[in-house]
Structures are given as structure tokens and as C-alpha cells.
Amino acid sequence: MAVTVLPTERSEEVVTVLCDAFYNYPVMRYVLGDTPDYAGRLTTLSGLFVAARANPDGLMLGLDDPAGTMVGGAMIDLPGKGALTPAFEAFRKSAWEELGDDARTRYEAYGRASREHNHGPQHHHLGMIGVLRSHHGSGLGRVLLEHVHALAEADPRSTGVSLTTELARNVILYEHFGYHVTAHVRVAPELETWLMFRPC
């Protein structure tokens, strides 16, 4: 399966993949809490993440199976990311009105922890990468990750690729792909994050 750059028209498919891949992920559980409509709220939160990259300063990547169904996706911020569009600002306002102030406060606490240790604007940032749980262990995550690395290496503006992970076991995985930990932050008693970077 080949990695493709997706048009904004396929945003909902990316959201579906990421909701499945990140259903029990620590950041999602931390931000959204234990609510009866967790799945619906997760769709809104994932939609917010996707919309932030579905613009000229971001990329959505996808992997389709032979039948044309998306089974993996990745969200990337490009070097020198500029101001967000008015359309996205309106969407973000609507999403947080739906999710509530408590969720927004928790999300902003996580965001501050990440931003304090970022690498500046001149690199690719891998915001999310996920594969349907039914396809775990198939090597598709590696295919997506290696495509992101190739994009960064081909871009003279980029010094490398950054990412965060909230699972300790993922740190070893990403180290295998050339990343190193640049910071380890305790966001809350129930959430910690590792910031990682892979130079070009």
C-alpha cells in the first residue's frame, strides 16, 4: 500500500481511523474524561486535530487497502507553520463549546507542557499517526513513519521530525527509528508525555 497526501475532502475518513487507533489513548482519556458520550466526543476532538492540519501549513497522509478503505493516517505540521485560518478558528470555537471548559482546560495544560520544549518552527511535527486496530502488527505504521521521514529529509527548510508520545513503550519504538527524548513531562498525575526528535 502506498502513502498518499489526502485532500481535505477525506478528512472524515482520517478522523474515523484516528478515533479507532486512539480510542483508549492516554491524552484522549485525560482530555475527555469518563463520559457517557465518550465516542462522540472523541470524534469531535479528533476532528479538531485533523482540521488543524487540513490547511496549507499541514499535511494529511493516508494508507488505503486494496478496496479503497483507509486503514492508516498521519497528521503533520510543516516547517514555518503560519497563522490559523478564520474558518479553523470558528470550527475550534464550536468544538470547544461542545466539549466544554473542563476538557479545554485539560487540553491546554497538555499543550503548554508540549510547547515548552518544542524545537522551533523549522521542522516537521508529527501530530498524530495511527492505524486501525484491526491492522496492528501489519507494518503499516512503519510505512507511514518512513514516509514522514522522507518528506522531512527532502525539505531544505526542515531540521527533522518531532513528535510526542504518552506511552512509555512507544519511547523504545521511536528510538528504534532514530528519535531521542528531548523532554519528559508530567502533565497531571494520570498523564505524562515524552517529547522526541529525529534530526534529518
Side-chain angles (χ1 to χ4, degrees):
M1 285 183 270
V3 179
T4 57
V5 176
L6 302 173
T8 56
E9 291 77 19
R10 298 195 70 187
S11 294
E12 288 186 15
E13 293 174 76
V14 181
V15 170
T16 297
V17 169
L18 295 178
C19 283
D20 181 85
F22 287 87
Y23 190 81
N24 282 312
Y25 198 67
V27 170
M28 307 308 191
R29 288 291 181 181
Y30 169 70
V31 171
L32 298 176
D34 187 18
T35 59
D37 186 26
Y38 176 80
R41 288 161 59 79
L42 178 62
T43 298
T44 300
L45 183 61
S46 298
L48 185 59
F49 294 155
V50 169
R53 275 83 183 193
N55 63 68
D57 296 320
L59 281 181
M60 296 188 301
L61 302 179
L63 271 173
D64 291 346
D65 68 13
T69 301
M70 191 179 300
V71 295
M75 309 304 305
I76 304 162
D77 292 328
L78 298 174
K81 183 172 181 178
L84 297 172
T85 65
F88 173 74
E89 294 286 8
F91 178 81
R92 179 166 63 178
K93 182 175 185 290
S94 172
W96 287 123
E97 285 174 355
E98 177 185 338
L99 295 173
D101 291 340
D102 288 347
R104 183 169 189 168
T105 297
R106 290 190 293 270
Y107 175 74
E108 289 176 348
Y110 167 73
R112 281 192 302 274
S114 300
R115 285 191 302 272
E116 286 175 3
H117 302 279
N118 68 27
H119 295 273
Q122 297 306 317
H123 70 281
H124 286 64
H125 176 70
L126 181 54
M128 295 180 82
I129 182 170
V131 173
L132 292 177
R133 285 173 286 174
S134 60
H135 287 67
H136 280 186
S138 61
L140 297 181
R142 173 191 290 268
V143 173
L144 282 165
L145 195 58
E146 290 179 347
H147 191 86
V148 174
H149 298 162
L151 287 174
E153 289 162 4
D155 189 336
R157 301 172 299 166
S158 185
T159 59
V161 180
S162 68
L163 58 79
T164 62
T165 184
E166 288 67 52
L167 293 173
R169 66 176 181 266
N170 285 353
V171 173
I172 297 170
L173 170 68
Y174 287 122
E175 286 176 339
H176 174 75
F177 287 101
Y179 290 82
H180 61 272
V181 175
T182 59
H184 177 206
V185 182
R186 174 66 65 179
V187 180
E190 67 274 34
L191 181 68
E192 56 188 327
T193 185
W194 288 263
L195 289 82
M196 305 190 73
F197 187 72
R198 181 187 188 271
C200 285

